[in-house]
Amino acid sequence: MKLKYIAIALLLAVVGTACSEDTMDHINQDKANPAAEIVSGKFVIPGAIMNTAFNTISGNYAWYISSFTEQEFGTGNNQLRNAELRNTGEIASSTCFNNEWNDTYLTMHSLWEVMQKCKEGGLNEGETDLLGMAQVLMAIDLGILTDLHGDIPYSEALTGLNNLQPKIDTQESIYNAIFKLLDDAIDNLGKSSGNVGTSDILFAGDNDQWIGLAYALKARYKLHTYFRNRNVLPEVIEAANAAIEAGFDGAELDVFDGVTKDNPWAAYFWSRYYTGSSKTVADLMEERDDPRLEVYNVDFFGEDLCAEPGDAVAAGLTYACNGPAWLDNGAVPIHVFSKSELYFILAEAKARLGQDASADMATAIEASFEDFYVADPGYTSFESSLAGEYIATLPVTLKEIMVQKYLAQVRDEQIETYNDIRRCMALGEEHIKLNNPHNTSSTGNAWPLRLPYGNSDVISNPNVRDAFGTGNAAGMYIFTENVWWAGGSR
């Protein structure tokens, strides 16, 4: 009899244990954050678009670079002051751009997962438009990382825990990967399965615009390689024309209202007041009687201070420097790729080939005028006729094309200006004279030719740590070594 009760007790214990384990299995499931493998890729795309535009293109990278290109002035007696005064120790530190480094790699990992889901047997198999969008965004993020840092981990870097110490790939190989991503994206987007819908917060599911963006990016990255390949310009023009034929009219993220959702530039300005107008830009505009100057150089604080690059006193001030009007407008869209850049690319390529670039230069400047007007609707003087009158006063030369591109990109495209300046330096050209006296120091060049790697990889990945360096030499290569497309070896 005792054996019977013992058997029943044991059975109840087993059942109880099983129920307990089953309950714990359910408890340990995060219903609010389901596993990545069961989430459709179309729900990942909105975040990837936002992160690419908000964090990678218009975040800390651009704020620092705006000081390096002298399109804006670093002030506020803190981070951007140190950039303005070319504090080499801070600029070369692996912690300086660590957040942007991590954010961009996280975005690329998410995009890589989307691309895996679009393969045969995957959750999003056959959704070629989704795949194409992921490939375009991957090309943008990968392009920015390699343009700013040079050789970086890529081919082994996006598989998560499967490889925590990926190798560093050469910039040349990464550029080949970018071109393949874009070509594949154009092909996939052309098949158009139409499953993304409202998840596309950039083009609202318009595949033609995505195709146009892919071609525009191809033109940009082809032009970057001009120092390495002097025969690339016809390919640049071909890709740019293909973007126009696809109906591409620029890519802007227009999701901000200035009340509950601010664009990153205004949010940064309102929270820290670390950036303002630069006299390098103001002087170029004044020389040309450029009406955009009243939008670029606004006296916010009653001091009427448009700072000279490198001015230590102005760099230490808060609530003093003039600034572009758009810094006070949180509703302004931010560029992923502007219409003006596309036409400036065409104009430059044609000018270098001795072709007529006047129409493309005019279209680029007109787009910039419209862009400045959108940035501050309070300035009603920006009519199309005003742009035409201004354009009529300008010479159509390579130098003027590059100056006008520089002026147009003060809005929020400093990263591409940084690429242009370095690219032209490699060619022995100085279209934009940089005036910051701190660009050189007693020890040599203090103007960064690239940006340092992120600290997370410097401390955890020996491949990155070896490239970054140790001791007093750590990170200092950024002042001496060009990236590959600008003639460097890494």
Side-chain angles (χ1 to χ4, degrees):
M1 198 66 171
K2 287 183 178 180
L3 289 175
K4 177 180 177 182
Y5 291 130
I6 292 173
I8 293 173
L10 287 172
L11 179 60
L12 290 173
V14 170
V15 171
T17 301
C19 290
S20 175
E21 289 178 354
D22 184 61
T23 301
M24 290 303 296
D25 286 341
H26 286 290
I27 289 174
N28 287 332
Q29 290 181 5
D30 186 352
K31 301 295 185 181
N33 296 284
E37 59 268 17
I38 66 171
V39 176
S40 171
K42 71 179 181 180
F43 298 123
V44 178
I45 286 295
I49 294 171
M50 178 62 79
N51 290 340
T52 297
F54 196 99
N55 296 328
T56 301
I57 296 176
S58 289
N60 201 45
Y61 280 142
W63 299 331
Y64 269 81
I65 286 171
S66 69
S67 171
F68 303 156
T69 62
E70 299 182 17
Q71 289 170 299
E72 294 190 3
F73 179 83
T75 185
N77 201 32
N78 208 300
Q79 293 167 295
L80 265 291
R81 171 188 178 275
N82 291 332
E84 190 66 32
L85 302 183
R86 304 297 187 258
N87 183 326
T88 56
E90 174 168 325
I91 296 170
S93 170
S94 63
T95 61
C96 193
F97 300 101
N98 186 56
N99 289 343
E100 293 68 41
W101 172 271
N102 290 339
D103 286 345
T104 306
Y105 268 109
L106 284 171
T107 301
M108 291 199 301
H109 173 68
S110 296
L111 292 168
W112 177 82
E113 288 188 327
V114 172
M115 291 160 64
Q116 302 311 302
K117 291 175 183 179
C118 291
K119 290 182 176 179
E120 184 177 352
L123 186 63
N124 298 104
E125 179 183 354
E127 297 183 34
T128 57
D129 53 347
L130 177 64
L131 175 58
M133 291 174 193
Q135 289 166 328
V136 171
L137 292 168
M138 181 74 81
I140 295 172
D141 289 314
L142 183 58
I144 289 175
L145 274 184
T146 190
D147 286 340
L148 297 184
H149 299 280
D151 295 354
I152 56 171
Y154 170 61
S155 61
E156 298 178 353
L158 304 181
T159 59
L161 297 177
N162 292 327
N163 190 343
L164 297 178
Q165 297 179 341
K167 69 176 183 179
I168 288 179
D169 295 299
T170 67
Q171 186 174 73
E172 182 177 11
S173 69
I174 290 170
Y175 257 64
N176 290 334
I178 289 171
F179 292 131
K180 186 176 189 312
L181 281 167
L182 293 173
D183 286 340
D184 289 348
I186 291 165
D187 179 58
N188 286 319
L189 289 160
K191 297 174 184 176
S192 183
S193 57
N195 290 307
V196 179
T198 57
S199 294
D200 176 10
I201 62 173
L202 186 61
F203 291 125
D206 187 338
N207 278 14
D208 288 340
Q209 288 297 309
W210 278 99
I211 291 171
L213 175 57
Y215 275 119
L217 289 164
K218 191 172 180 180
R220 171 197 284 177
Y221 293 122
K222 288 285 185 181
L223 185 58
H224 285 183
T225 68
Y226 178 59
F227 176 82
R228 289 289 184 177
N229 178 11
R230 301 303 173 88
N231 298 316
V232 78
L233 295 178
E235 296 178 43
V236 172
I237 293 173
E238 180 182 11
N241 283 332
I244 295 169
E245 290 167 8
F248 182 69
D249 198 40
E252 294 182 342
L253 185 61
D254 188 6
V255 297
F256 311 104
D257 59 17
V259 180
T260 61
K261 301 184 290 294
D262 296 323
N263 71 53
W265 284 93
Y268 183 65
F269 178 69
W270 286 333
S271 65
R272 303 191 183 186
Y273 298 100
Y274 279 179
T275 190
S277 302
S278 164
K279 204 155 187 309
T280 296
V281 173
D283 285 349
L284 288 170
M285 288 184 166
E286 285 178 356
E287 290 168 7
R288 290 159 175 77
D289 196 20
D290 191 325
R292 291 172 293 182
L293 179 59
E294 64 177 340
V295 176
Y296 174 73
N297 188 35
V298 177
D299 183 8
F300 288 131
F301 306 108
E303 303 291 338
D304 197 19
L305 175 59
C306 185
E308 293 274 3
D311 184 335
V313 174
L317 298 174
T318 305
Y319 313 117
C321 292
N322 295 359
W326 52 81
L327 294 182
D328 199 37
N329 184 355
V332 176
I334 54 177
H335 291 111
V336 174
F337 194 114
S338 70
K339 177 180 178 179
S340 65
E341 182 189 346
L342 178 61
Y343 282 91
F344 276 124
I345 288 172
L346 267 175
E348 180 189 343
K350 289 181 179 179
R352 290 189 182 279
L353 290 171
Q355 300 175 13
D356 181 10
S358 58
D360 297 306
M361 175 177 162
T363 301
I365 296 172
E366 288 167 358
S368 173
F369 267 64
E370 182 179 354
D371 190 45
F372 271 59
Y373 172 77
V374 169
D376 190 346
Y379 286 87
T380 57
S381 60
F382 284 97
E383 303 169 356
S384 58
S385 60
L386 191 61
E389 293 168 5
Y390 173 71
I391 292 165
T393 68
L394 302 173
V396 184
T397 62
L398 176 62
K399 180 177 181 63
E400 191 61 32
I401 289 166
M402 299 310 296
V403 168
Q404 290 299 322
K405 186 179 183 184
Y406 174 85
L407 296 177
Q409 293 187 327
V410 301
R411 252 274 282 124
D412 61 0
E413 298 174 279
Q414 289 80 2
I415 291 176
E416 196 51 35
T417 298
Y418 184 50
N419 294 333
D420 282 342
I421 291 174
R422 293 182 295 158
R423 178 168 58 83
C424 290
M425 285 171 59
L427 295 165
E429 302 170 356
E430 185 187 50
H431 302 297
I432 307 298
K433 185 179 184 302
L434 299 178
N435 301 303
N436 191 323
H438 303 292
N439 285 338
T440 57
S441 69
S442 59
T443 58
N445 176 54
W447 191 83
L449 302 172
R450 64 170 78 215
L451 303 184
Y453 295 120
N455 189 58
S456 58
D457 276 272
V458 170
I459 64 175
S460 65
N461 185 345
N463 299 310
V464 176
R465 182 170 61 248
D466 290 345
F468 182 75
T470 58
N472 292 334
M476 300 308 288
Y477 66 94
I478 72 169
F479 301 109
T480 59
E481 298 187 37
N482 286 310
V483 298
W484 167 79
W485 51 248
S489 60
R490 59 164 177 153

